[in-house]
């Protein structure tokens, strides 16, 4: 069941990736490649750094899921754009899932909690950043959108709760609800980072 | 003999890489580094992802070939630019060679055909994309030039023919002629992706 | 003691990394991530290419040093900017140290001298280039600033001297003084690459 969720998350990332660059004059090949990179970029970087087999080389179904979702997004752009807000929430949910799953994966390797949190955030936002760099867009690192911060806080919460609760699943659900809730709030209220945490103050 | 062709391909990639950025105000160091990255970037990414020893660490002659070609391109820019169309065809030939060689390399590792095609395309276009990102240029992913599509089709054709023909070399030659022919046609006729496969339609 | 110097170098890189992007409208998360990437990017790429364990996964203190330095730079920007010239010299010293340390590290692996020099330069400038790409800035590869050339010459000098002098430390000190001296001269005199080595001539 977790596998099915992962595939859905990959597909959602790929769709939002294609929609994000579809305003530019890009062709089918470029759009599909950028969709796939959005979907698998973060996990690829994580596996490279940890010297693990790249997850989509071990199981090519991840690429198929990203590929079909990107094709869908390319040809059904208008219908999907009408549901853009829904996709934004789904993207937030997928980001939360990937972040927490990566945190757990690193903890499973007996590595330290701060590293696990760092890898969780990287897995979650790496693909979107890679897409923005390749597409010449301003990446989320240079914006005040509240996208990465909920994941950072959520992964930190997860490693804290994991020591408290005997069952990993309870910690996981609480952290997921917290991360997704925070991100949903930011989407719903159009929140941006407060001025004291951004350079616009000085 | 294949080794000699690879070195020539590396040199051609390095030269077109330097020429591509020579209009900007770049110094010798930057030009040479970007030339080398154009030449070896795709293969480096392939080896990283497949967890193979990086090909130019195993054999530094690849770096020397890229380095001398980049120096040549830097100091003989005008002469080379007069032959720019010839270089464009040579670049297309090198891209086809690298793509097919990488596809064969991955199949040799007993990995699946779709992964082999993907790695073929990545090896072929990865260096040029890395150069464009580092030079702040619009990368080929965001253009409608027909550069990557012939390689994608050619590598796919190769894996199909390889099962049909008893000798790998026949499949290789047919795929090479097909890939290079398609790219040459695109250069000669200034072809771009048809509107139905690009975003300019809607 | 070398360990302590490395930590200081990481911190200096992180501070100059944050200062370099602080003019843009970036929030705390983005600034800290870009500071850390500036500090550890080059060494990370070196370890990935050489298939070594990533240095900051093996010892997370590197990340803490980069993190605290980035936080400092974010909140004390004005005070640090007043000392920007001092930071520029410290950055040059850190770059020289990292370049020479990486050269020695690669020679220790019994790899060839040209590869060691290449890795030295890459370790030294890789993080700054990654930051510039992620922040959408023009990278040093596209400028005529004399930043990488002293490191290239210094690492080359080091591998030459290492064969002459019986003690590695003497070679190291001479190369360090040479590299840092050249970079300091470039900062002090606002030197740029001579026209013959740059594209502005033609």
């Amino acid at each position: 069941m977790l596998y099915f969720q992962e595939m859905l998350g990959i597909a959602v990332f790929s769709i939002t990736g294609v929609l994000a660059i579809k305003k530019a004059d890009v062709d089918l090949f470029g759009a599909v490649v950028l969709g796939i990179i959005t979907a698998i970029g973060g996990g690829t970087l994580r596996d490279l750094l940890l010297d693990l087999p790249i997850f989509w080389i071990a199981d090519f179904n991840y690429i198929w899921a990203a590929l079909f979702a990107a094709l869908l997004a390319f040809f059904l752009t208008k219908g999907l754009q009408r549901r853009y807000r829904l996709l934004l929430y789904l993207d937030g949910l997928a980001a939360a899932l990937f972040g927490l799953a990566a945190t757990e994966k690193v903890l499973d390797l007996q590595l330290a909690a701060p590293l696990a949190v760092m890898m969780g955030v990287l897995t979650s936002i790496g693909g979107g950043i890679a897409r923005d760099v390749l597409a010449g867009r301003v990446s989320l690192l240079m914006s005040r959108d509240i996208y990465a911060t909920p994941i950072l806080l959520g992964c930190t919460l997860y490693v804290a709760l994991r020591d408290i609760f005997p069952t990993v699943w309870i910690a996981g659900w609480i952290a997921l609800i917290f991360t997704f809730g925070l991100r949903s709030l930011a989407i719903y209220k159009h929140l941006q980072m407060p001025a004291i945490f951004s350079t616009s103050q000085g």
Side-chain angles (χ1 to χ4, degrees), chain A:
Chain A
M1 192 172 126
L2 194 65
Y3 183 69
F4 180 68
Q5 285 160 1
E6 265 192 319
M7 286 293 163
L8 266 184
I10 289 280
V12 168
F13 263 30
S14 186
I15 289 171
T16 54
V18 170
L19 293 185
I21 50 110
K22 263 256 17 213
K23 286 144 224 162
D25 187 24
V26 59
D27 67 20
L28 180 62
F29 179 83
V32 167
V33 168
L34 288 169
I36 294 176
I37 286 171
T38 310
I40 65 165
T44 304
L45 194 51
R46 174 203 61 210
D47 292 343
L48 274 179
L49 292 171
L50 294 174
D51 206 12
L52 302 172
I54 311 296
F55 70 100
W56 50 265
I57 293 184
D59 178 357
F60 208 70
N61 285 332
Y62 291 103
I63 300 290
W64 292 126
L67 177 65
F68 286 118
L71 287 172
L72 202 82
F74 189 85
F75 289 112
L76 303 179
T77 306
K78 273 179 193 160
L80 286 164
Q81 268 166 346
R82 234 174 291 131
R83 284 167 191 83
Y84 191 65
R85 277 194 87 72
L86 172 64
L87 276 167
L88 222 52
Y89 287 103
L90 284 176
D91 178 273
L93 186 58
L97 268 172
F98 283 141
L100 293 168
T103 303
E104 177 59 31
K105 186 174 181 179
V106 177
L107 290 174
D108 253 4
L109 296 170
Q110 313 296 336
L111 292 166
L115 182 64
V117 171
M118 186 177 166
M119 287 295 163
V121 175
L122 184 87
T123 306
S124 199
I125 69 173
I129 291 172
R131 173 204 62 212
D132 289 339
V133 165
L134 290 169
R137 282 162 43 102
V138 174
S139 88
L140 67 91
L141 288 181
M142 299 304 283
S143 86
R144 289 173 55 196
D145 281 359
I146 298 185
Y147 187 97
T149 313
I151 296 159
L152 176 63
L153 296 176
C155 293
T156 309
L157 180 68
Y158 176 68
V159 296
L161 293 178
R162 206 173 168 271
D163 284 346
I164 297 170
F165 291 101
T167 355
V168 170
W169 284 102
I170 299 175
W173 273 104
I174 297 175
L176 182 63
I177 291 165
F178 170 82
T179 309
F180 180 53
L182 210 58
R183 172 70 185 140
S184 297
L185 195 72
I187 298 171
Y188 188 70
K189 296 258 188 189
H190 299 278
L191 293 182
Q192 290 211 306
M193 268 298 211
I196 192 172
F197 293 137
S198 82
T199 53
S200 48
Q201 54 166 344

